[in-house]
Amino acid sequence: MSTFLVFLLLLLPLTVGSLLVSWFSRRNPLPLPLTMALGFGAGTGVLTHLFVILNYIELPHRLAMVTVLLGCLGVLLAWLMFVNRNDRRPPISFGPRPRPDIINISLGLFILYLLSFIFWNGYSTPIHSWDTLSTMGFKAKIIYYSQFLDYIPRFGKFDYPLHLPTLMAWTAHGSGGWDDTLVKIIFPLYCLAFSVVLFYTLRMLTNGRWAVAGVALLFSSGFFVYHATIAYRDMTMMYFNCSCILLILLWQKSDYRIALSLAALFSGFTTFIKLEGFGYLGMHNMLVLAILTFDRKLTLPEKFRRQLIFSVVSIGIYAVFAVFKKTQILPNVPDWRVVATHFDLNRVSVSLGVESLQRVNVVIQRYLENMFLSGNWNLIWALFAASCLRLERWAQSATLRYLILYLTMYFGIYLAAYSLTQHYYWVADKYDVMSRSLLHIWPLIIAATCILNHQPPSAPDAD
Amino acid sequence: MSSVRQTSPSISFASIYLVVVLTILTIAYLVLCHIGGFAPGDILRIIAETSFVAHQNIIFYININRYPLPSYLYIGILAATFGVGLLTKVFAGRIPPQYSDRSLFSHLRYVIVVMIVLINIMQLLGINTFWQNLGGMFTGPGKYENSPLARPKRVAQAYRDALRDQPLSGIFASDMNIDEDPGMLEHRSFAYFLYPVDIRNVYNQERTVWVAYELRDSASKVPEGFKIFYQYDENNLIAIKQP
């Protein structure tokens, strides 16, 4: 009964998010599964940001109030959709559906089997992983029992974004009590939602065959499958970060403007999952800037306008928690300057010189070991590396070049951060962070592999 | 018409291509087993059992003769790539041109895809084992009964019931070393299960409960001013500060 109740409860952010995405794309609607897949992220993102905003006001039942506000927003969006119901054009085309041949059916069954494992595991095993017990789950419990964020400054990792602890607390509150198993339900849902986003994006960027194959490759990683079943932030981070990039690529490929607006929304929400989200936000903005810079069709004022909208929306969403942290959390931390785990850009000590060159060598070695010799990623990195040798595809596809640009930015920044700062320790001596940070861009490797191997029917892409 | 044939190779020849790749991979596998002195069946069983050793930070494959499993997979991939490349050149003219004209890199990509499918099959077997083990570990009404977290969960639940879930601040006392595992994980999980009774100084208020967990002969160590409120067993009890 409780499981059913939680599913029923999660229909609220799903519906509100889907209405929000539908409202954004009201003139050229997206397919319903994609609308819902993006809507789940948008709805949960709005929900947790509403909770942060409510913390400025003295209220006794903030989690219940979030539900009420979310419901009101849903009604408002439904009304707006109803008013604009005659203002619709044909839905945007994502290419033909995959044919039900033996290969697609086999791949589909493989995906379904792993999804069933993920859902069974996600819904039958309680919280048992280290970070969840130690920090994220604990924070969620703090929020659930207190219904405010006043205790966060007293707790370790007080500066971490609070999307998932808040969402877990809200889920527990709505389902009538804290349940160590039911609060995990959101994680497999993010995995499912992202599979749908990847499927539709690949269908547009390649074809139906590669869309199915791409999702199957996504599920070929044991590390991905495991993370979809445990309550860690990285699967959710992957969902928001990669959805944002894929939407930007959709916009670049098809000039479907709404995709850029949605990407801005997702870029902002990325910052509320983990601290790294702020770095990703910067990289999303750089990618949009690069696409606009090399675009030959748009006028300069139009380019400026689009970049401005993307930056204002993404940074505006980031500002919601950033301002709250600056004004409400940090001043109440007993002495955050001496807390060793607190991430502060001013405290990053950069070391240059011969020693750092040796460190670069070690970090690259660790990356290669992780990508090619661990059991995390199957042999997908090897397939990607072999596919990169198809140089004619680089020349044909601008989308691919932008994707590779983003991956280059990602590796450049992480390589510098791990090699030149004190964070070297986490890579050289431990296995804690590298795999999880690679998970944040893992689907992009698959997308790039699919684009590289897809043979367009005509000569070079029009993009 | 010919262009249609070029992009859509017949299923039958694709099957032959696949069989050739699998045959070369099998030969490479048998040769490697022979060199290493392993029984092929044993290695296959070990790979299947260890292909999904899930961990939140990294998944390691097994090492065989000091080298990780993927090293051998790459040897197989190279052998199959060169083997199939050679065969398509030898039989050029008798096989469809889309196979004979294919570059070595193209063969490489196909062979890697075949290997990915094989690893997936192994991984599915590993996932099945993992599924069964996990199901056995997190069972029963409390979900944690057979897991390493069963002890902290049981004791914390008993304390919470005794204190009626009041948001009290507590002083934690234990013989465990909570700065290193396994004590660190046990402490964190105990604190998680015990909340809203707080032993991590979240509330920043006067600490009115003394929480003993895995503290030998805890009754004799109750601090002055506190009185035993509830005793779970010899090593676990809570004491309340007297007014």
Side-chain angles (χ1 to χ4, degrees), chain A residues 113 127 134 141 180 375-376, chain B residues 56-57 59 128 144 192 200:
Chain A
Y113 180 81
I127 284 171
S134 176
K141 255 186 152 175
D180 296 313
N376 286 344
Chain B
Q56 65 267 23
N57 291 336
I59 295 178
N128 267 333
Y144 290 95
Y192 165 83
R200 292 182 73 179

Side-chain angles (χ1 to χ4, degrees), chain B:
Chain B
M1 266 312 277
S2 63
S3 68
V4 171
R5 237 180 282 132
Q6 282 222 342
T7 52
S8 317
S10 67
I11 291 286
S12 59
F13 196 82
S15 310
I16 295 170
Y17 185 85
L18 180 66
V19 168
V20 171
V21 171
L22 287 173
T23 308
I24 298 172
L25 285 175
T26 309
I27 294 168
Y29 172 71
L30 293 173
V31 170
L32 284 172
C33 286
H34 180 73
I35 293 170
F38 296 105
D42 287 351
I43 290 289
L44 219 52
R45 185 179 47 77
I46 293 169
I47 293 171
E49 282 172 1
T50 58
S51 59
F52 190 74
V53 185
H55 191 273
Q56 65 267 23
N57 291 336
I58 191 163
I59 295 178
F60 285 113
Y61 277 139
I62 50 158
N63 280 5
I64 302 171
N65 266 0
R66 290 188 294 121
Y67 296 105
L69 175 68
S71 319
Y72 300 97
L73 300 180
Y74 291 125
I75 292 173
I77 286 169
L78 286 180
T81 303
F82 284 113
V84 82
L86 189 70
L87 285 174
T88 50
K89 291 296 172 211
V90 168
F91 291 101
R94 281 192 273 170
I95 58 172
Q98 64 264 37
Y99 287 93
S100 57
D101 295 350
R102 197 172 271 175
S103 71
L104 212 53
F105 290 132
S106 172
H107 289 302
L108 174 67
R109 290 197 303 275
Y110 277 84
V111 172
I112 294 175
V113 169
V114 171
M115 196 60 108
I116 286 172
V117 174
L118 293 177
I119 293 177
N120 271 332
I121 294 169
M122 289 293 176
Q123 213 158 258
L124 286 179
L125 296 173
I127 282 176
N128 267 333
T129 314
F130 180 78
W131 189 323
Q132 285 161 6
N133 292 343
L134 211 66
M137 195 183 277
F138 295 105
T139 54
K143 290 276 189 186
Y144 290 95
E145 264 70 1
N146 298 327
S147 82
L149 303 173
R151 179 81 178 158
K153 166 78 178 170
R154 265 200 298 271
V155 177
Q157 192 58 53
Y159 287 0
R160 280 178 59 177
D161 291 344
L163 293 167
R164 296 183 183 186
D165 271 357
Q166 291 177 79
L168 302 169
S169 283
I171 303 162
F172 180 74
S174 175
D175 287 329
M176 295 187 309
N177 175 7
I178 62 166
D179 295 323
E180 275 178 33
D181 274 335
M184 187 156 67
L185 175 65
E186 197 154 346
H187 168 253
R188 300 300 192 277
S189 47
F190 178 70
Y192 165 83
F193 292 128
L194 190 62
Y195 198 84
V197 179
D198 167 36
I199 54 166
R200 292 182 73 179
N201 199 22
V202 170
Y203 296 145
N204 191 31
Q205 61 187 19
E206 190 193 358
R207 298 180 182 205
T208 52
V209 191
W210 187 73
V211 181
Y213 177 73
E214 298 303 323
L215 181 71
R216 241 168 292 157
D217 192 18
S218 50
S220 66
K221 295 169 184 166
V222 175
E224 207 172 310
F226 284 81
K227 189 179 170 192
I228 295 175
F229 178 74
Y230 169 80
Q231 185 149 13
Y232 182 84
D233 60 23
E234 197 182 328
N235 300 338
N236 297 282
L237 64 83
I238 41 177
I240 299 280
K241 194 170 194 176
Q242 295 304 294

Side-chain angles (χ1 to χ4, degrees), chain A residues 277-290:
Chain A
F278 179 65
Y280 293 142
L281 177 135
M283 284 155 63
H284 299 154
N285 275 275
M286 294 292 286
L287 182 65
V288 172
L289 182 67

Side-chain angles (χ1 to χ4, degrees), chain A residues 68-371:
Chain A
V68 172
L69 284 178
L70 208 59
C72 292
L73 183 64
V75 171
L76 177 72
L77 286 167
W79 180 75
L80 283 172
M81 289 294 294
F82 181 75
V83 168
N84 292 303
R85 69 189 181 283
N86 296 325
D87 195 18
R88 291 194 146 207
R89 287 171 209 163
I92 183 170
S93 169
F94 277 79
R97 287 181 182 187
R99 282 177 301 173
D101 57 22
I102 183 76
I103 296 176
N104 284 345
I105 290 173
S106 307
L107 293 175
L109 288 174
F110 168 74
I111 294 164
L112 274 179
Y113 180 81
L114 283 169
L115 269 175
S116 69
F117 165 75
I118 287 167
F119 274 80
W120 174 86
N121 200 347
Y123 297 161
S124 60
T125 57
I127 284 171
H128 60 275
S129 321
W130 162 252
D131 276 13
T132 320
L133 291 165
S134 176
T135 53
M136 197 174 75
F138 199 102
K139 266 187 194 173
K141 255 186 152 175
I142 292 174
I143 296 170
Y144 167 71
Y145 281 104
S146 65
Q147 302 220 16
F148 53 62
L149 299 174
D150 295 13
Y151 291 142
I152 297 299
R154 307 287 320 168
F155 190 70
K157 299 186 179 174
F158 48 82
D159 55 348
Y160 274 34
L162 295 168
H163 174 77
L164 286 168
T166 306
L167 194 56
M168 288 165 82
W170 180 81
T171 309
H173 180 263
S175 59
W178 185 270
D179 184 307
D180 296 313
T181 308
L182 291 181
V183 291
K184 276 175 67 213
I185 277 182
I186 44 180
F187 297 92
L189 288 174
Y190 276 120
C191 166
L192 176 64
F194 184 73
S195 312
V196 176
V197 175
L198 183 69
F199 172 77
Y200 275 97
T201 321
L202 284 179
R203 228 172 98 178
M204 178 173 267
L205 299 178
T206 57
N207 59 20
R209 166 81 81 222
W210 278 109
V212 179
V215 179
L217 287 177
L218 184 76
F219 283 88
S220 297
S221 152
F223 194 71
F224 169 86
V225 169
Y226 185 58
H227 264 263
T229 68
I230 57 171
Y232 264 51
R233 295 166 196 259
D234 301 278
M235 172 62 63
T236 314
M237 186 60 155
M238 182 207 80
Y239 165 83
F240 280 103
N241 179 41
C242 292
S243 294
C244 173
I245 297 297
L246 294 176
L247 285 165
I248 291 174
L249 296 179
L250 268 186
W251 161 71
Q252 180 274 326
K253 172 91 177 173
S254 64
D255 199 28
Y256 181 56
R257 277 199 222 173
I258 300 311
L260 186 65
S261 310
L262 288 171
L265 201 69
F266 275 71
S267 177
F269 289 148
T270 305
T271 61
F272 201 35
I273 315 297
K274 288 187 89 172
L275 286 172
E276 293 96 307
F278 179 65
Y280 293 142
L281 177 135
M283 284 155 63
H284 299 154
N285 275 275
M286 294 292 286
L287 182 65
V288 172
L289 182 67
I291 293 171
L292 288 170
T293 305
F294 292 110
D295 189 288
R296 289 179 194 158
K297 289 179 229 155
L298 296 173
T299 59
L300 192 63
E302 180 60 19
K303 287 179 180 181
F304 181 75
R305 198 179 70 84
R306 290 193 187 189
Q307 179 70 60
L308 190 70
I309 290 172
F310 186 89
S311 300
V312 166
V313 172
S314 57
I315 296 169
I317 294 172
Y318 162 72
V320 173
F321 182 63
V323 171
F324 184 84
K325 187 160 82 173
K326 189 83 179 162
T327 58
Q328 308 291 317
I329 295 181
L330 292 183
N332 295 313
V333 175
D335 191 358
W336 54 269
R337 288 168 193 83
V338 299
V339 180
T341 55
H342 172 60
F343 178 80
D344 181 353
L345 206 57
N346 298 319
R347 291 198 320 181
V348 171
S349 58
V350 178
S351 66
L352 298 165
V354 183
E355 193 200 338
S356 57
L357 281 177
Q358 288 164 343
R359 285 170 153 207
V360 172
N361 190 23
V362 172
V363 174
I364 290 175
Q365 203 179 316
R366 288 281 185 274
Y367 264 117
L368 293 177
E369 280 170 10
N370 195 308
M371 295 187 295

